[in-house]
Amino acid sequence: MKKIVVASDHAGYHMKMDIIEYLTDLGYHVDDQGCYSDQPCDYADFAHPVAYAVEQDEDIIGVVFCGSGNGINMTVNKHKGIRSAICWNKELSHLARSHNDANICSIPARFVSSSDAKEIVSVFLNTAFEGGRHIARIRKIPL
């Protein structure tokens, strides 16, 4: 079973905690890189450790949360080998994995329900990369 590493800022904290409980109940090992409360903080402080973990181990999947999903997504995508996608519904989650081989799912906590987030994460974790025509496209992403 894949290891999951998660992080959030204050805006995503409660949703992150819901997802940790959900994934733990499913039997996943979840590594929480912070934040650890809903007090204001900077998403980058918690995004970088997730990106480092995913960079170092292709069996690790990241799930990150912030209010819009944008800031934390931009931060993790600065890392080589990271393909993070903002997913606000299950269809985008599916396409992020199947077409883009995304290894981090970024969820906009202020725009999706906890129930939707669980579905997004479930689809992300259970969708395989299709390969094929998508491989050449993925190889063109890094500079």
Side-chain angles (χ1 to χ4, degrees):
M1 187 164 284
K2 287 194 176 285
K3 180 179 172 186
I4 314 300
V5 62
V6 299
S8 71
D9 69 356
H10 56 283
Y13 170 74
H14 293 288
M15 183 170 285
K16 179 191 70 169
M17 298 309 294
D18 288 346
I19 294 299
I20 289 172
E21 180 180 2
Y22 170 72
L23 292 172
T24 301
D25 288 349
L26 291 175
Y28 287 96
H29 171 78
V30 181
D31 179 12
D32 183 1
Q33 292 293 316
C35 73
Y36 303 107
S37 78
D38 59 6
Q39 295 302 305
C41 62
D42 299 329
Y43 50 77
D45 295 336
F46 309 102
H48 289 300
V50 171
Y52 288 130
V54 173
E55 280 178 309
Q56 294 172 10
D57 187 342
E58 66 184 31
D59 289 327
I60 294 177
I61 292 289
V63 182
V64 295
F65 307 85
C66 74
S68 69
N70 284 309
I72 204 161
N73 188 61
M74 290 176 187
T75 304
V76 295
N77 271 322
K78 292 293 184 182
H79 290 254
K80 185 177 181 175
I82 297 301
R83 291 174 307 282
S84 180
I86 300 176
C87 299
W88 60 87
N89 61 40
K90 65 182 181 179
E91 293 80 12
L92 289 172
S93 183
H94 176 79
L95 289 171
R97 291 286 294 142
S98 64
H99 288 193
N100 307 116
D101 198 20
N103 49 19
I104 297 179
C105 179
S106 179
I107 297 179
R110 289 185 175 140
F111 297 91
V112 300
S113 69
S114 180
S115 175
D116 289 342
K118 290 173 185 172
E119 189 172 37
I120 290 164
V121 170
S122 179
V123 168
F124 195 85
L125 295 176
N126 292 295
T127 301
F129 178 50
E130 291 178 7
R133 70 184 193 275
H134 305 292
I135 293 172
R137 296 169 185 161
I138 299 295
R139 289 183 180 148
K140 292 180 180 181
I141 293 173
L143 293 176

